[in-house]
Amino acid sequence: MTVAQNVVSDGLVYPLMFHKLDEHLSANGAGQVGMLTEFMRLWFAESQRWVDALLKTVINESPENKAMVQGWVDRWSQRSLEALAPLAAKGLGAAALQAVQAEFIARLKKIGLTGAAA
């Protein structure tokens, strides 16, 4: 459950909703929304460091752990991206979700996993 929620879901939802959406709103005259969501961005940055350290520890413990975690990341990444696609298409466009996915894949590679493609 930690991989599904804290790694994948948070790793895709927070950048989409609190970074890309904030950029979009600021560019369209609603910069004050960023003040309301600053806490979420700060929390995510701190949480991401902790989650990444946890994941590195788990996957470096054994090849079996790494394979199991990679399978979970692949499964939940695909499901999360499918769920977020309609939301992104309505407000931000598919390019925003693709950018978030690329950032997520880069993050996974730093941890030692491969990125999952949708």
Side-chain angles (χ1 to χ4, degrees):
M1 200 50 122
T2 292
V3 171
Q5 176 64 48
N6 297 316
V7 178
V8 178
S9 183
D10 287 355
L12 294 168
V13 170
Y14 273 79
L16 183 66
M17 298 309 299
F18 298 114
H19 291 278
K20 298 298 181 193
L21 180 60
D22 182 55
E23 289 171 3
H24 175 76
L25 292 173
S26 291
N28 290 287
Q32 66 276 20
V33 173
M35 291 186 299
L36 298 173
T37 61
E38 182 179 12
F39 172 79
M40 285 79 134
R41 288 190 308 278
L42 294 173
W43 174 86
F44 176 70
E46 184 61 34
S47 173
Q48 181 177 332
R49 284 189 290 275
W50 182 86
V51 169
D52 289 357
L54 173 69
L55 215 52
K56 277 184 183 179
T57 301
V58 170
I59 67 171
N60 289 328
E61 189 173 283
S62 72
E64 294 82 11
N65 280 4
K66 185 174 181 176
M68 184 168 36
V69 170
Q70 183 68 62
W72 292 338
V73 166
D74 292 346
R75 176 177 182 222
W76 291 108
S77 294
Q78 182 175 348
R79 292 185 72 183
S80 294
L81 288 165
E82 289 170 2
L84 289 170
L87 177 65
K90 284 231 182 248
L92 300 170
L97 185 57
Q98 290 169 350
V100 166
Q101 182 182 8
E103 293 165 7
F104 182 68
I105 289 169
R107 177 182 164 207
L108 292 175
K109 287 180 181 178
K110 285 181 186 176
I111 294 168
L113 298 169
T114 60

